[in-house]
Amino acid sequence: MGKMLGIKVPKKEAEKIRKQLLELNLLDVNFKIKHQNDFVIFPIKERIKGFEIIETTFEKATKRPHSYREVVNIPSELQPLLPSSFDIIGDIAIIELPEELISHGKNIGKAILKVHKHIKAVFAKGSKVSGEYRVRELLHLAGENRTEAIHRENGIRLKLDVAKVYFSPRLATERMRVFERAKEGEVVFDMFAGVGPYSILLAKKVKMVFACDVNPIAIRYLEENKKLNKVENLIPILGDVRKVAGQVKADRVIMNLPKFAHEFLKEAMISVRKGGVIHYYGFSHEENLFEEHLEKIEKVAEELGKNVKVLEKRKVRPYAPYQFNIAIDFSVF
Ligand SMILES: C[S@@+](CC[C@H](N)C(=O)[O-])C[C@H]1O[C@@H](n2cnc3c(N)ncnc32)[C@H](O)[C@@H]1O
């Protein structure tokens, strides 16, 4: 390798000088910095006044890849189809691959493991979320063939099986938003609790949480998560919320079943005390985000002889082209 320009600086000043060189765009980042006794030698792009300049050889820097896309072994014409991101639940990655990439899934999985050292298993989404339990099929791509993990979110730990229960790490911010709205002393009814991402979090703040789910595996994990997070003021209820509704009078009701929440509005309204708040979720086209949902909410309220007051309407996240998961918070009188 040919000789290059470098500047030799005392070790104790090296960090300060490195930052200055970077700022001035004079450091040649394609080469490795050299250490020599009490001195550091920086590869530089051009001569700089005021420093001891030496001519020397530098090793080429090995750049750490930032994305699995930089190391994946697939035909180059398919490269543009690679998703830029994937979900991470604990140490499990779940990626959504287009048809054309499914047969290259193993290599994609291996590339994810190579770049993200904390990920131990990679799966591809094998179907859409479906059925009463809102779960999807998963295809194992690489690493351990294990679907149970412990996910950290909003300061709590959630143990769950990604193949047997619903869980989306993308709702963490929304759950924190509800947590911030909730007040100490409240009773909360989480109608579709899953493994407890809302319930456990809220139990850390409010007086009591009733958490219902029809999936026995979700409730089993919810029981475990209660212990894992040392939460006592939470009552898991296994069953169809249609049978449970009305037996609880809550200050706050969470309806996190966006696909079907509109079918459960009566259950929510008979479970909330006068002046209490309902967090309603739905799916909408971007051209009509809230109207249809609001009409349904008002219709059910009228049937029950109640009034509603909308407190907040918002997009939670996009979930398909032009489609959004939306939230409407309203109080009932
Ligand atoms: C979209 S998931 C939400 C889970 C959880 N809140 C979360 O954020 O991860 C909806 C949950 O509702 C449950 N579910 C569906 N229909 C139900 C019903 N009729 N009664 C009680 N739970 C139901 C499903 O088993 C599923 O766990």
Side-chain angles (χ1 to χ4, degrees):
M1 202 187 299
K3 295 230 164 153
M4 294 172 47
L5 287 180
I7 54 168
K8 190 170 171 181
V9 304
K11 210 165 153 184
K12 56 181 190 313
E13 285 173 34
E15 188 46 27
K16 192 182 78 199
I17 294 171
R18 189 186 67 86
K19 285 195 183 130
Q20 288 171 351
L21 292 175
L22 271 175
E23 236 166 76
L24 297 168
N25 193 22
L26 290 170
L27 187 69
D28 194 338
V29 290
N30 296 316
F31 293 89
K32 280 188 184 165
I33 293 164
K34 269 167 77 164
H35 297 265
Q36 219 173 55
N37 304 323
D38 283 340
F39 292 91
V40 171
I41 305 167
F42 290 111
I44 51 167
K45 294 182 180 169
E46 58 190 74
R47 283 178 183 276
I48 313 168
K49 281 200 187 125
F51 287 101
E52 183 187 344
I53 306 266
I54 54 168
E55 287 196 10
T56 183
T57 55
F58 290 95
E59 257 180 74
K60 255 210 147 331
T62 38
K63 214 173 99 218
R64 253 195 69 215
H66 290 294
S67 163
Y68 78 98
R69 292 186 294 183
E70 295 169 40
V71 300
V72 71
N73 182 14
I74 60 162
S76 58
E77 68 273 16
L78 294 178
Q79 280 271 349
L81 298 178
L82 287 167
S84 58
S85 68
F86 45 84
D87 283 346
I88 300 175
I89 301 175
D91 57 4
I92 298 176
I94 301 177
I95 190 162
E96 184 165 357
L97 295 178
E99 276 293 317
E100 302 90 319
L101 289 180
I102 292 284
S103 59
H104 299 277
K106 295 249 171 292
N107 283 350
I108 293 169
K110 279 192 216 153
I112 291 175
L113 291 177
K114 200 166 170 185
V115 174
H116 302 271
K117 295 294 178 206
H118 62 291
I119 293 175
K120 301 289 179 242
V122 185
F123 292 86
K125 293 182 180 175
S127 68
K128 287 205 175 325
V129 165
S130 70
E132 196 177 31
Y133 296 170
R134 313 308 296 148
V135 291
R136 67 166 96 244
E137 274 172 42
L138 295 172
L139 310 168
H140 180 244
L141 299 183
E144 293 174 35
N145 193 352
R146 156 172 67 82
T147 49
E148 188 178 76
I150 295 184
H151 185 73
R152 279 164 204 274
E153 165 182 299
N154 295 328
I156 60 169
R157 285 186 297 162
L158 297 163
K159 192 168 173 187
L160 64 118
D161 187 322
V162 291
K164 298 193 177 122
V165 300
Y166 175 93
F167 182 78
S168 171
R170 299 183 199 186
L171 294 174
T173 316
E174 173 58 21
R175 294 192 263 257
M176 187 39 81
R177 188 184 72 91
V178 173
F179 176 81
E180 281 161 1
R181 303 286 180 287
K183 295 176 193 74
E184 289 164 27
E186 282 185 355
V187 173
V188 170
F189 182 30
D190 189 358
M191 290 172 72
F192 310 103
V195 302
Y198 282 93
S199 289
I200 302 268
L201 181 65
L202 283 157
K204 297 268 180 196
K205 184 174 190 181
V206 304
K207 188 168 85 187
M208 178 59 84
V209 178
F210 294 96
C212 176
D213 204 288
V214 75
N215 179 350
I217 301 175
I219 291 292
R220 206 191 75 212
Y221 279 111
L222 179 55
E223 299 271 12
E224 262 197 71
N225 290 331
K226 231 183 109 171
K227 290 188 200 123
L228 204 59
N229 294 280
K230 300 189 172 55
V231 160
E232 309 238 317
N233 52 336
L234 189 168
I235 301 182
I237 306 166
L238 171 61
D240 189 321
V241 76
R242 292 179 188 94
K243 299 209 177 107
V244 179
Q247 297 179 41
V248 174
K249 271 282 178 252
D251 300 290
R252 195 170 292 275
V253 174
I254 302 165
M255 304 186 73
N256 186 220
L257 179 65
K259 183 103 179 160
F260 303 111
H262 57 275
E263 295 176 13
F264 292 88
L265 278 162
K266 181 177 153 226
E267 281 76 7
M269 289 190 203
I270 61 168
S271 303
V272 74
R273 68 153 176 81
K274 212 171 177 183
V277 176
I278 297 181
H279 296 275
Y280 171 94
Y281 294 97
F283 290 135
S284 310
H285 192 275
E286 71 173 0
E287 277 170 14
N288 183 354
L289 282 175
F290 304 109
E291 242 3 84
E292 269 179 39
H293 294 288
L294 288 170
E295 277 167 21
K296 284 176 186 151
I297 291 169
E298 267 152 26
K299 186 163 169 276
V300 176
E302 203 183 308
E303 282 164 13
L304 295 173
K306 294 179 191 283
N307 290 308
V308 296
K309 182 173 162 228
V310 175
L311 305 172
E312 204 174 320
K313 299 179 288 190
R314 58 191 294 277
K315 288 185 196 167
V316 176
R317 63 180 179 107
Y319 89 99
Y322 312 110
Q323 304 281 328
F324 284 89
N325 181 350
I326 58 103
I328 301 174
D329 300 349
F330 61 95
S331 53
V332 183
F333 299 93

